[in-house]
Amino acid sequence: MDLIEISCLLRDKCLLDPQKPIVVGVSGGPDSLCLLHLLHRLGYTVIAGHVNHQLRETAGHDEEQVKEVCRQWGIPLEIERVDVRSFAQNSHFSLEEGARILRYRSLMQFAAAHSAQALAVAHQADDQSETMLMHLLRGSGMSGLKGMQYRSFNPAFSLDIPIVRPLLQVSRTEIEAYCAENSIEFCQDETNSETKYFRNRIRHELIPVLENYNPQVRLHLEQTGQILAEENRFLEEAAQRAQKQVLLRQGEGFFLLSRERFLKLDIVLQRRILRNWMIELRGEIRDISFSVVEAGLSFAGEKNPVLVKPLLKSLFLASGEGQNLLLYREDADLGDLWPWLSEPSLPWRLSDEKVNLSRHWQIRCEIFAPGEITFDRDPQVACFDADSLSEQFELMPPAPGDRFAPFGMNGREMKVGDYFTNQHIPLLARGHWPILRAEGRVLWVAGLRQAEFARVSESTRRILKLSLLKID
Amino acid sequence: MDLIEISCLLRDKCLLDPQKPIVVGVSGGPDSLCLLHLLHRLGYTVIAGHVNHQLRETAGHDEEQVKEVCRQWGIPLEIERVDVRSFAQNSHFSLEEGARILRYRSLMQFAAAHSAQALAVAHQADDQSETMLMHLLRGSGMSGLKGMQYRSFNPAFSLDIPIVRPLLQVSRTEIEAYCAENSIEFCQDETNSETKYFRNRIRHELIPVLENYNPQVRLHLEQTGQILAEENRFLEEAAQRAQKQVLLRQGEGFFLLSRERFLKLDIVLQRRILRNWMIELRGEIRDISFSVVEAGLSFAGEKNPVLVKPLLKSLFLASGEGQNLLLYREDADLGDLWPWLSEPSLPWRLSDEKVNLSRHWQIRCEIFAPGEITFDRDPQVACFDADSLSEQFELMPPAPGDRFAPFGMNGREMKVGDYFTNQHIPLLARGHWPILRAEGRVLWVAGLRQAEFARVSESTRRILKLSLLKID
């Protein structure tokens, strides 16, 4: 291993400052102990961080080993024990993915507690090429082929503490030689996880086969990985900028975007945006396959799309109001977007001051004498002749076959469903749209149009004013 | 094969118009005959194009077979015989690469002659995944991993006729089934070229191994290829735009670029720009490896770069004048950039009206009486007291140890080399810089500064005016 080269790389690629603390993730294996030793030796201020996954019998021994090494080298050590098994079970992650999440979470907590400039982890060159092949074989497509970077951010764990990987171009052989030279006593790497097993097959079976085709294949994979990692970052930055342009509203479990602006984007950005949002809504990358993303793109591009397209279990894309698209999870809080009635039926009386439809929506009721109010065309407001109405009302979503005579159309009746269609109200929104009824008659499609019935006239003595309010 | 799907793809992805002619590249193998049959059957106006490489014994038979099929189907056919062997020999291309170049060249000529809307070629899904693996193994890095696209342009062959690949998602098995169903009699594919051999090994040995890891590996490679092809196009478009921003001057065998603007670009764009220009200067992609491009990037980023960095045999990067960078080939016409003296020595007499330094540069000589001219500070012009000079002059590049007293510095002498350094004249330019001498004395560093010697004074009767001119 070339110490000069590593020194330059720490400064120029990892952007590390020798004066500021760095937390180093230390499993106890050769890679992480080599990294810890190197940084310490080159004068960096290091704090070791060990996360005990409590998965294997040797976990306790590894922890002791790390303690002993840090004591010998005089390096402060933080230890956290995590319960991977129950976390994985509750969150439906694999043990391996669960362990990864808890590990990074703890290490980042150490880093934050020490005001560290970075979290250093010990991925090396062989990891890089094996990971690329693994992703290629598993078909993780876009995100898979990119290699790891010397310095990057993982927003899932920290927005401001970078993850650095100084050993990315050092091979396993070089690391083992370094450990031997410096008498570093490391633990044996764990080999029982599913990925480790797959990775081991790649390392011991597949790479030798590929080396028959080209002895330089490892080097080529590393170089390709480095380029793709940077190109991926560049594309991701472009996608982030484009995301801001197309996003109209983001809420719990949904993204509402401008279909028109989305379709004007390059397909490369469309694909990444859709994929990013799908991952964000699902909370994980699993199942967001090539064909799921393509199905979303194809729906977005259709001239006469069906109203809702299921993309995955509990993930949908819908053509929203007007020229919009709505990407949402089954449990999305769509009441954030449209007037929303949570209950199947909600009775109220003329004397009630207000009625809550859902956590976002409320109807306020006031009685005025003629001359006390002026009328405007605000669709959020409806005014009736209170004396033409009964005292009992009901709020319900539209029922099949509902009809009403919209105000100002000379009493001509139409289906509420057709009215929604004319107003470009998405199907999704209709199922919970609050409709005010009295004595079986539709009085008000809340927020859109009141019925002709019980309209305020010159003989009206008491005016009932209803206002639909959004509470943000 | 799903004819509906292919029809949509021809319209939506290949953007083909059934009314306008298409030239189809037809080797006589199953893929190309299948493509020809399909397009013909779906009502497209097709012209078959066959290029006889005259490499194999069966070449004549293949040509006859294509003729016979086209006659039967009533499709017009263009045939061209090319001499791959001598072309490859003269241009130092491999036989295979030479054949590819001549083939596309001829097919594009057919396409232009028929005012075709596109050239259709028969790459299919297996080609896509095999090509990706081949590139991955060979380490062609950036350009390699990207797959082929349904519709793309290859500027080497045509700027305005696109190449379309309608079969990109059809497998070899489907094509064979189609040929059998439609009784298409095809020739056996050639298998003797180096790539075919490598490709065959990948097809018959490697892919089955990879399928042990994941039975879906072919599909994953295809999907990854499709995404990478589009992302590559996006990045290439960004690089083309950035290229225009950094390019200061382009000439025969060189690119002069603004180092400052170049370094402000994302490394992803820097890498692609440098690589594109290297390929353009070399005329081919061979040898433009990862490490060559990285060496160029690292030179560009150095604070105190050496003056010239050899990147490849006959390809150099130099820090140019001021904050510029010069990428050039050994035989570049750098006289396009700086005053340039082609000869090692060029004598002339006071009576000569002009003297040609190189194809870009000339010195014009005039004699004036005092009062006939005004003096300005134009460094392209030097004025001397003609009577203080001999009749014999010589133009030479600077010799080691050359000194002169620059005009206006009270006769203080300095080395010509130091003067160049002060003026930020790149080393590259100095070797051919025209220096005017008389009787062993430096009179004029042409285009920069004349010497104090023989300056025009009040007693001057004849003024010798020399003007350095660039002839574009």
Side-chain angles (χ1 to χ4, degrees):
Chain A
M1 200 166 348
D2 183 338
L3 281 186
I4 303 288
E5 205 179 300
I6 295 270
S7 303
C8 293
L9 200 147
L10 290 169
R11 192 192 57 191
D12 300 334
K13 302 265 186 176
C14 300
L15 308 180
L16 294 179
D17 177 344
Q19 310 303 324
K20 295 185 193 153
I22 303 165
V23 166
V24 184
V26 179
S27 68
D31 303 347
S32 59
L33 285 177
C34 166
L35 175 62
L36 185 67
H37 189 272
L38 255 175
L39 287 170
H40 183 53
R41 170 184 187 174
L42 291 170
Y44 285 89
T45 313
V46 288
I47 297 106
H50 178 75
V51 179
N52 184 336
H53 297 136
Q54 305 186 91
L55 283 175
R56 297 182 307 132
E57 282 178 19
T58 55
H61 169 264
D62 292 357
E63 187 183 316
E64 286 310 312
Q65 175 74 11
V66 172
K67 268 188 196 162
E68 176 55 23
V69 167
C70 288
R71 195 192 55 73
Q72 281 175 22
W73 297 352
I75 293 173
L77 169 66
E78 295 275 6
I79 294 181
E80 175 87 29
R81 293 186 186 184
V82 292
D83 185 352
V84 176
R85 247 177 255 284
S86 64
F87 173 74
Q89 212 148 18
N90 295 335
S91 58
H92 303 286
F93 286 117
S94 68
L95 272 185
E96 190 200 332
E97 182 62 9
R100 195 184 73 89
I101 292 172
L102 291 182
R103 185 168 65 247
Y104 273 99
R105 213 179 262 175
S106 301
L107 290 173
M108 276 299 182
Q109 279 163 3
F110 299 154
H114 286 272
S115 308
Q117 60 176 318
L119 167 64
V121 292
H123 292 115
Q124 28 88 332
D126 298 86
D127 290 337
Q128 179 87 304
S129 49
E130 289 158 14
T131 303
M132 275 194 66
L133 275 179
M134 205 162 66
H135 285 307
L136 195 66
L137 292 172
R138 283 186 170 169
S140 35
M142 267 175 295
S143 67
L145 271 181
K146 69 160 199 281
M148 293 172 281
Q149 289 186 277
Y150 285 115
R151 180 185 170 94
S152 62
F153 287 88
N154 187 334
F157 301 113
S158 172
L159 287 171
D160 42 62
I161 302 175
I163 299 170
V164 298
R165 298 180 175 86
L167 301 184
L168 222 45
Q169 267 176 30
V170 181
S171 71
R172 181 169 294 120
T173 322
E174 287 174 294
I175 288 176
E176 281 164 6
Y178 183 92
C179 288
E181 269 168 42
N182 295 280
S183 311
I184 298 175
E185 284 177 35
F186 51 81
C187 318
Q188 285 309 315
D189 262 342
E190 45 179 317
T191 50
N192 54 357
S193 76
E194 186 203 332
T195 296
K196 287 271 172 180
Y197 174 70
F198 196 56
R199 190 184 282 283
N200 272 330
R201 271 188 72 194
I202 288 178
R203 184 181 309 160
H204 299 300
E205 288 174 24
L206 182 57
I207 291 197
V209 170
L210 296 179
E211 280 169 343
N212 276 334
Y213 289 79
N214 185 336
Q216 300 270 298
V217 69
R218 259 193 191 281
L219 179 67
H220 291 325
L221 286 171
E222 279 164 47
Q223 293 174 343
T224 305
Q226 190 184 330
I227 291 171
L228 290 180
E230 279 161 344
E231 299 203 327
N232 184 64
R233 184 220 6 99
F234 181 86
L235 290 164
E236 211 36 59
E237 286 168 6
Q240 300 288 345
R241 285 191 299 272
Q243 256 171 235
K244 287 190 192 133
Q245 287 166 23
V246 300
L247 183 63
L248 297 174
R249 192 179 179 95
Q250 171 179 7
E252 221 182 290
F254 73 85
F255 291 91
L256 183 71
L257 53 147
S258 158
R259 185 163 176 261
E260 196 192 347
R261 282 183 235 158
F262 183 75
L263 290 178
K264 278 192 188 143
L265 295 177
D266 194 292
I267 189 172
V268 163
L269 301 178
Q270 290 179 0
R271 192 178 272 139
R272 282 182 176 258
I273 290 176
L274 211 51
R275 187 163 173 280
N276 286 347
W277 283 343
M278 286 180 181
I279 293 170
E280 195 164 332
L281 290 180
R282 299 264 299 180
E284 50 163 342
I285 203 165
R286 195 170 46 181
D287 300 335
I288 315 282
S289 68
F290 176 81
S291 52
V292 168
V293 177
E294 295 308 297
L297 286 182
S298 132
F299 177 80
E302 268 171 43
K303 270 168 199 146
N304 299 302
V306 294
L307 290 162
V308 176
K309 167 100 181 170
L311 294 175
L312 273 174
K313 193 166 169 295
S314 87
L315 189 69
F316 305 88
L317 191 60
S319 47
E321 220 163 331
Q323 271 299 302
N324 302 338
L325 278 172
L326 181 70
L327 179 71
Y328 67 104
R329 215 168 45 211
E330 203 165 30
D331 62 350
D333 179 17
L334 298 180
D336 195 8
L337 288 173
W338 302 291
W340 200 264
L341 180 64
S342 303
E343 317 289 325
S345 165
L346 204 62
W348 62 282
R349 307 179 59 82
L350 198 53
S351 53
D352 292 342
E353 223 168 73
K354 61 180 183 185
V355 54
N356 289 315
L357 308 183
S358 65
R359 73 183 180 91
H360 294 289
W361 299 91
Q362 192 180 71
I363 291 179
R364 184 166 304 167
C365 324
E366 295 155 290
I367 298 283
F368 292 97
E372 278 185 347
I373 53 168
T374 54
F375 302 97
D376 52 24
R377 287 173 166 269
D378 183 358
Q380 306 291 102
V381 171
C383 291
F384 295 97
D385 178 351
D387 297 309
S388 307
L389 296 171
S390 70
E391 293 279 313
Q392 302 276 16
F393 301 91
E394 192 183 19
L395 279 156
M396 272 176 69
D402 265 353
R403 302 178 68 86
F404 81 131
F407 186 88
M409 280 177 64
N410 301 321
R412 192 145 44 84
E413 274 207 345
M414 70 189 303
K415 283 189 186 159
V416 171
D418 291 342
Y419 181 75
F420 277 136
T421 303
N422 294 347
Q423 299 295 311
H424 303 292
I425 301 301
L427 200 63
L428 262 184
R430 301 183 195 178
H432 288 268
W433 203 282
I435 308 273
L436 179 71
R437 299 154 183 280
E439 296 165 333
R441 194 195 298 268
V442 170
L443 286 182
W444 186 30
V445 181
L448 287 175
R449 189 84 83 105
Q450 70 178 92
E452 186 73 24
F453 182 78
R455 68 181 290 174
V456 174
S457 68
E458 289 190 1
S459 59
T460 299
R461 287 174 303 145
R462 289 191 308 149
I463 298 170
L464 169 64
K465 180 183 177 191
L466 302 175
S467 314
L468 178 71
L469 301 174
K470 176 139 197 250
I471 314 151
D472 269 320
Chain B
M1 199 165 350
D2 183 338
L3 281 186
I4 303 289
E5 204 179 301
I6 295 270
S7 304
C8 292
L9 200 146
L10 290 168
R11 192 193 56 190
D12 301 335
K13 302 265 186 176
C14 300
L15 308 180
L16 293 179
D17 177 344
Q19 310 303 325
K20 295 185 193 154
I22 303 165
V23 166
V24 184
V26 179
S27 67
D31 303 348
S32 59
L33 284 177
C34 166
L35 175 62
L36 185 66
H37 189 272
L38 254 175
L39 287 170
H40 184 52
R41 169 183 188 174
L42 291 170
Y44 285 89
T45 313
V46 288
I47 298 106
H50 178 75
V51 180
N52 184 337
H53 297 137
Q54 305 186 90
L55 283 175
R56 297 182 307 133
E57 282 179 20
T58 55
H61 170 264
D62 292 357
E63 187 183 315
E64 287 310 313
Q65 175 75 13
V66 172
K67 269 188 196 163
E68 176 54 23
V69 167
C70 288
R71 195 191 56 74
Q72 281 176 21
W73 297 352
I75 293 173
L77 169 66
E78 295 275 6
I79 294 181
E80 176 87 29
R81 293 186 187 185
V82 292
D83 185 352
V84 176
R85 248 176 253 285
S86 64
F87 173 74
Q89 212 148 17
N90 295 335
S91 58
H92 303 286
F93 285 117
S94 68
L95 272 185
E96 189 199 334
E97 181 63 8
R100 195 184 72 89
I101 292 172
L102 292 182
R103 184 168 64 248
Y104 273 99
R105 215 179 261 175
S106 301
L107 291 173
M108 276 299 183
Q109 279 163 3
F110 299 154
H114 286 272
S115 308
Q117 60 176 319
L119 167 64
V121 292
H123 292 114
Q124 29 88 332
D126 298 85
D127 291 336
Q128 178 87 304
S129 49
E130 288 157 15
T131 303
M132 275 193 68
L133 276 179
M134 206 163 66
H135 285 307
L136 195 66
L137 291 172
R138 283 186 170 168
S140 36
M142 266 174 296
S143 67
L145 271 181
K146 69 162 199 281
M148 293 173 281
Q149 289 185 278
Y150 285 115
R151 181 186 170 94
S152 61
F153 287 88
N154 187 334
F157 301 112
S158 172
L159 287 170
D160 42 60
I161 302 175
I163 299 170
V164 298
R165 297 180 174 86
L167 301 184
L168 222 45
Q169 268 177 28
V170 181
S171 72
R172 181 169 295 120
T173 322
E174 287 174 295
I175 288 176
E176 280 164 7
Y178 184 92
C179 288
E181 269 168 41
N182 295 280
S183 312
I184 298 175
E185 283 177 36
F186 51 81
C187 318
Q188 285 309 316
D189 262 342
E190 46 179 318
T191 50
N192 55 357
S193 75
E194 187 203 330
T195 297
K196 286 274 173 178
Y197 174 70
F198 197 57
R199 190 184 282 283
N200 272 329
R201 271 188 72 195
I202 288 178
R203 184 181 309 160
H204 298 300
E205 289 173 24
L206 182 57
I207 291 196
V209 170
L210 296 179
E211 281 170 342
N212 276 334
Y213 289 79
N214 184 336
Q216 299 271 298
V217 69
R218 259 192 191 281
L219 179 68
H220 292 325
L221 286 171
E222 280 165 46
Q223 293 174 343
T224 305
Q226 190 184 331
I227 291 170
L228 289 181
E230 279 161 343
E231 299 203 328
N232 184 65
R233 184 220 4 101
F234 181 85
L235 290 164
E236 210 37 58
E237 286 168 6
Q240 299 288 345
R241 285 192 298 271
Q243 256 170 237
K244 287 190 192 135
Q245 286 166 23
V246 300
L247 183 63
L248 297 174
R249 193 179 179 94
Q250 172 179 7
E252 220 182 292
F254 73 86
F255 291 92
L256 183 71
L257 53 147
S258 158
R259 185 162 176 261
E260 196 192 347
R261 282 182 235 158
F262 183 75
L263 290 179
K264 278 191 189 144
L265 294 177
D266 194 291
I267 190 172
V268 162
L269 300 178
Q270 290 179 0
R271 191 178 272 138
R272 283 182 175 256
I273 289 176
L274 212 51
R275 187 163 174 280
N276 285 347
W277 283 343
M278 286 179 180
I279 293 169
E280 195 164 333
L281 290 180
R282 301 263 299 179
E284 50 163 342
I285 204 166
R286 195 171 45 182
D287 300 335
I288 315 282
S289 67
F290 176 81
S291 52
V292 168
V293 177
E294 295 307 297
L297 286 183
S298 132
F299 177 81
E302 269 171 42
K303 270 167 199 147
N304 300 302
V306 296
L307 289 162
V308 176
K309 167 101 182 169
L311 295 175
L312 273 174
K313 193 165 169 297
S314 88
L315 189 69
F316 305 88
L317 191 59
S319 47
E321 219 164 331
Q323 271 298 302
N324 302 338
L325 278 173
L326 181 70
L327 179 71
Y328 67 104
R329 214 169 45 210
E330 204 165 30
D331 62 350
D333 179 16
L334 298 181
D336 194 8
L337 288 173
W338 302 291
W340 200 264
L341 181 64
S342 302
E343 316 289 326
S345 165
L346 204 61
W348 62 283
R349 306 179 60 83
L350 199 52
S351 53
D352 292 342
E353 224 168 72
K354 60 179 184 185
V355 55
N356 289 315
L357 308 182
S358 65
R359 72 182 181 92
H360 294 288
W361 299 91
Q362 192 180 71
I363 291 178
R364 185 165 303 167
C365 324
E366 295 155 289
I367 298 284
F368 292 96
E372 278 185 348
I373 53 168
T374 54
F375 303 97
D376 53 25
R377 287 172 166 270
D378 183 357
Q380 306 290 103
V381 171
C383 291
F384 295 97
D385 177 351
D387 297 309
S388 307
L389 296 170
S390 69
E391 293 279 313
Q392 302 277 15
F393 301 90
E394 192 182 21
L395 279 156
M396 273 176 68
D402 265 353
R403 303 177 68 86
F404 81 131
F407 186 89
M409 279 177 65
N410 302 320
R412 192 145 45 83
E413 274 208 345
M414 70 189 303
K415 284 190 186 159
V416 171
D418 291 342
Y419 181 75
F420 277 136
T421 304
N422 294 347
Q423 300 294 313
H424 304 291
I425 301 299
L427 201 63
L428 262 185
R430 300 183 194 178
H432 288 268
W433 203 282
I435 308 273
L436 179 71
R437 299 153 183 281
E439 296 165 331
R441 194 194 298 265
V442 169
L443 286 182
W444 186 30
V445 181
L448 287 175
R449 189 83 83 105
Q450 71 178 91
E452 186 73 23
F453 182 77
R455 68 181 290 173
V456 173
S457 69
E458 290 190 2
S459 59
T460 298
R461 288 173 302 145
R462 289 193 308 150
I463 298 170
L464 169 63
K465 180 184 177 190
L466 302 175
S467 313
L468 178 71
L469 301 174
K470 176 139 196 250
I471 314 150
D472 269 320

